Amino acid sequence: MRPYTCDPMSSPLSSTGASFGEIDSILQEALQELGLASSAASLEAWRTRFLGSNGKLKSLMGGLKSAPKDDKRELGQRLNDLKEKLESAFEVQRTSVNATSGTPLVDLTEPGITTGEGRRHILSRTVDEIIDVFGRMGFTVADGPEVEDEWHNFTALNIPQGHPARDASDNFYMGDSVGVKRLLRTQTSTVQIRAMESQQPPLKVVAVGRVYRPDTHDATHFSMFHQIEGLCVDRNLSLVDLKTALLQFAHAYFGADAEVRMRPSFFPFTEPSAEVDMKMHIKGQLQWVEIGGCGMVDPNVLEAVGLDPEQWSGYAFGLGVERIAMRRYGITDIRWLFENDARFLRQF
Ligand code: DAH
């Protein structure tokens, strides 16, 4: 084994590898030059020369491989020490140049700090967009409570006592309040009644809000969701007016090539009644999507709010907001809309 030399300056070293002497002379040279660096550019040039990926420190470190085995450990420590000294001297000089030049030495290529910008929930945005379209079509916005009485949720909508829709297993009943049975509304059609009670026809309103049903949660069911309700009451309205309104909406919201299809159905508060499908672009293809129900307001409903069905007629529709948003944005599980996982919501 080669005897260890205690004077590092004079240790015998390979000509290409790192040596103690070399380390010291580079430290001296570097500190001297650093003292002269008085601008951002000269600091950067210094950094590249000594600390850069092709700089002197790197090449010394590269030389460690070919240094004598017995020196390796200490050389390694000395190189680390050199690195720390150079880095801290650089920071000191940079701060002082910075302070005296008044120009902050900002690295413009550094990625910035993002502020985690918030955004509106995809459902809120969908609701706003839909309301905006109906607003341009002359509909005003009506409102009603989520905790309803039986009169607005059922009776006035032509859903009599004993009707299966009133079943306890299909509703969230909340107990009586001053003798009135209350429940979480199961449909925004309640707002039709409230609008007709508070405004005289002709009227043209849309209402949007939450509705509640005791459904088991799965990819397409949730115990709370949103509906958009539309109601128009005027003289001599017909199915043509209803279909025209839906078609206008479809064109404005889904695009000029959207279509509307009505399939005969039954709702207690409309006669005739239909399911509404809209043809919209889904993943680049036009597809039919069922989005709600509609019909001509049943004469019993007009009578319930004191309007003469001989004089007044109405059309109504109720559309599912989640359904529209899910199909439009390719969301395949309704639960994601309510879990509030920012990673999901951030995509929209
Ligand atoms: N309220 C119905 C439901 O929740 C949807 C509906 C159907 C609303 C027909 C309407 C309508 O206004 O005319 O299933």
Side-chain angles (χ1 to χ4, degrees):
M1 208 205 268
R2 194 177 55 81
Y4 182 68
T5 26
C6 33
D7 178 6
M9 293 294 279
S10 61
S11 86
L13 290 158
S14 95
S15 55
T16 51
S19 74
F20 296 113
E22 222 176 330
I23 292 173
D24 285 339
S25 74
I26 284 191
L27 177 63
Q28 267 181 14
E29 182 192 342
L31 294 181
Q32 211 167 27
E33 284 191 25
L34 185 60
L36 302 173
S38 56
S39 67
S42 54
L43 273 172
E44 182 55 21
W46 181 93
R47 201 193 58 75
T48 314
R49 195 154 114 75
F50 290 97
L51 293 171
S53 49
N54 291 320
K56 294 205 167 196
L57 181 69
K58 270 278 148 56
S59 88
L60 277 180
M61 285 183 161
L64 199 55
K65 285 195 295 287
S66 48
K69 195 160 164 278
D70 289 346
D71 288 343
K72 270 190 183 159
R73 197 178 134 83
E74 198 184 343
L75 273 173
Q77 278 169 359
R78 292 280 300 273
L79 282 171
N80 279 340
D81 188 47
L82 173 67
K83 180 166 182 263
E84 270 168 37
K85 281 187 177 142
L86 293 184
E87 282 174 351
S88 72
F90 177 72
E91 279 314 314
V92 170
Q93 182 71 358
R94 182 156 81 149
T95 314
S96 103
V97 168
N98 214 349
T100 48
S101 72
T103 326
L105 302 177
V106 178
D107 178 356
L108 296 176
T109 63
E110 280 262 313
I113 299 163
T114 54
T115 50
E117 189 182 300
R119 69 192 69 205
R120 282 169 67 66
H121 194 286
I122 184 61
L123 279 181
S124 308
R125 291 221 314 274
T126 305
V127 163
D128 289 352
E129 288 161 10
I130 295 174
I131 294 264
D132 184 58
V133 171
F134 281 115
R136 281 185 268 137
M137 289 165 58
F139 286 81
T140 55
V141 175
D143 202 5
E146 289 177 27
V147 177
E148 264 296 4
D149 51 53
E150 289 191 295
W151 164 259
H152 290 93
N153 201 77
F154 300 123
T155 317
L157 286 166
N158 202 28
I159 303 172
Q161 286 293 341
H163 192 283
R166 294 188 179 228
D167 220 81
S169 60
D170 290 331
N171 295 279
F172 287 114
Y173 283 104
M174 308 193 71
D176 297 8
S177 156
V178 283
V180 180
K181 223 179 193 179
R182 293 185 185 269
L183 73 161
L184 293 176
R185 68 180 176 194
T186 52
Q187 49 187 352
T188 46
S189 302
T190 52
V191 187
Q192 290 187 32
I193 305 302
R194 294 200 170 265
M196 288 188 285
E197 284 171 338
S198 63
Q199 299 173 42
Q200 283 305 307
L203 61 89
K204 216 173 163 185
V205 295
V206 276
V208 56
R210 296 185 174 130
V211 299
Y212 301 85
R213 294 179 194 177
D215 284 334
T216 306
H217 292 181
D218 63 21
T220 52
H221 295 89
F222 208 79
S223 48
M224 182 279 300
F225 55 97
H226 297 73
Q227 290 185 328
I228 296 248
E229 192 81 16
L231 170 73
C232 180
V233 180
D234 207 333
R235 296 181 200 276
N236 304 316
L237 290 174
S238 74
L239 272 174
V240 173
D241 300 296
L242 169 59
K243 187 156 185 191
T244 303
L246 292 171
L247 195 58
Q248 267 183 351
F249 166 74
H251 284 166
Y253 191 67
F254 294 115
D257 48 4
E259 289 176 49
V260 170
R261 179 167 79 180
M262 285 153 73
R263 285 177 291 115
S265 185
F266 174 80
F267 297 102
F269 33 88
T270 42
E271 182 58 36
S273 304
E275 305 277 346
V276 188
D277 300 340
M278 289 191 184
K279 204 175 193 181
M280 59 179 89
H281 278 282
I282 293 171
K283 294 190 189 130
Q285 276 196 331
L286 276 169
Q287 282 180 31
W288 285 111
V289 178
E290 187 186 319
I291 64 169
C294 68
M296 301 307 293
V297 178
D298 193 287
N300 288 344
V301 174
L302 295 172
E303 271 171 4
V305 292
L307 294 176
D308 179 359
E310 296 298 323
Q311 282 193 50
W312 297 105
S313 53
Y315 66 76
F317 53 86
L319 314 178
V321 178
E322 282 76 4
R323 213 158 243 241
I324 293 176
M326 286 171 71
R327 295 309 293 260
R328 194 165 185 205
Y329 296 101
I331 299 165
T332 50
D333 195 318
I334 192 171
R335 292 168 292 194
W336 294 336
L337 291 169
F338 305 117
E339 276 169 1
N340 286 337
D341 184 331
R343 291 167 304 177
F344 167 76
L345 296 174
R346 224 180 267 135
Q347 300 174 76
F348 306 102

